Amino acid sequence: VIKCTKQTVWMKKDKYLKQAVWINDWEPKDPMVQAKKLKQVWARYYYDGSQAYIAIDAWQYGTAVLQALMTDLGDGLPPLCCYEHSMFADCELDGALPVIYPIRAGGVGTTDPDSDMVRYMETQFAYHNIELLTSNHAAGMEQYKRYHRIKDDHNDYAIYLPYKKTVELVGQIQNLKKQTTDRGVFEKRISNKIQRDSWSALKYACRFAQILERKYLMKAKRKSDWDNALKNKHTTNNPQTGSARNGRLITGRSGGRRFS
């Protein structure tokens, strides 16, 4: 689960701060069972007063889970459907919420090219726009319990698990190396014994965050704060038609040197 927050630094106003606030993984099970578990996690964040989305691998097994999410799961929650109704629109139920982003990762021609996602993740880490949980289990648990005023030890394992999974995620990232070919930039595992499922989940979540950035943040930053100032200066100081700040009429100059 990543939390996206608008940043106040002007140079970063078109990028969210993407913070990993919870991480876990599950073995593949029946798609219906997996969909119910995934929707429960989504509901914890969506019904906490904030908008929440699900980015899901829409190939093979992921497609079956996606389609299960679009059914009535009998959980008292509305059914879900794809963001902007991009897939399976004919299967949508009444009242479905468009919160699923189907990731179609791959090479050229896919909606989510691997090369684009790798480049994006590289720059976001470089500019500190992505934050992970601490890999120090004890410090993370202590801070969490202090913040939430938890004094007993009954739920220690549940608190500990995301920090443990963060260590595994860091190991997965360290096991990757970048390859550049004529078809773009790709990632390759150094050791095939180490999986990259958690890394892929983070990468897919950030892919949708990138889409939201383009939709909501980049348009707002497109015009610089200088635009209005320069526009006003051009209007007020135009030698032919404008007037100076002290109210004196400025007329066109004849003769002498001019600088542009």
Side-chain angles (χ1 to χ4, degrees), residues 235-254:
T235 301
T236 57
N237 290 346
N238 188 306
Q240 301 298 325
T241 60
S243 59
R245 291 183 181 177
N246 60 9
R248 292 176 55 196
L249 179 65
I250 299 178
T251 59
R253 235 185 113 182
S254 60

Side-chain angles (χ1 to χ4, degrees), residues 72-242:
D72 184 355
L73 296 175
D75 51 10
L77 299 170
L80 310 180
C81 64
C82 290
Y83 181 71
E84 294 186 342
H85 314 283
S86 57
M87 289 179 61
F88 307 113
D90 55 337
C91 299
E92 294 179 12
L93 300 180
D94 291 340
L97 301 177
V99 297
I100 305 172
Y101 181 72
I103 295 282
R104 284 296 178 96
V108 178
T110 56
T111 55
D112 307 287
D114 288 317
S115 186
D116 289 355
M117 289 191 284
V118 170
R119 285 196 187 96
Y120 179 77
M121 295 299 286
E122 185 178 29
T123 58
Q124 294 309 289
F125 271 112
Y127 288 102
H128 306 287
N129 290 326
I130 297 177
E131 293 182 353
L132 304 180
L133 294 173
T134 177
S135 57
N136 187 323
H137 306 158
M141 287 183 60
E142 181 183 353
Q143 185 175 359
Y144 183 92
K145 292 176 72 172
R146 187 187 306 117
Y147 180 82
H148 293 279
R149 298 180 181 179
I150 299 173
K151 297 182 179 180
D152 57 67
D153 302 328
H154 300 309
N155 295 319
D156 274 8
Y157 182 73
I159 299 171
Y160 159 81
L161 188 60
Y163 298 100
K164 176 178 180 294
K165 293 297 180 182
T166 298
V167 175
E168 294 178 12
L169 169 61
V170 172
Q172 293 180 17
I173 296 172
Q174 292 174 331
N175 187 53
L176 299 172
K177 64 179 181 179
K178 185 174 66 173
Q179 278 193 332
T180 303
T181 70
D182 56 351
R183 295 180 291 112
V185 179
F186 300 93
E187 61 189 33
K188 184 177 181 179
R189 285 184 288 173
I190 298 172
S191 170
N192 289 329
K193 294 181 180 179
I194 300 176
Q195 299 300 319
R196 53 180 170 186
D197 296 336
S198 295
W199 162 249
S200 295
L202 175 64
K203 184 172 62 175
Y204 293 166
C206 288
R207 172 62 173 180
F208 185 62
Q210 181 186 18
I211 290 172
L212 295 179
E213 286 171 349
R214 291 171 179 170
K215 184 173 182 179
Y216 296 113
L217 300 186
M218 295 185 74
K219 290 181 180 179
K221 192 186 173 185
R222 188 169 296 168
K223 288 190 175 182
S224 156
D225 293 339
W226 287 97
D227 286 349
N228 289 333
L230 291 174
K231 183 178 178 182
N232 293 335
K233 183 175 179 61
H234 176 76
T235 301
T236 57
N237 290 346
N238 188 306
Q240 301 298 325
T241 60

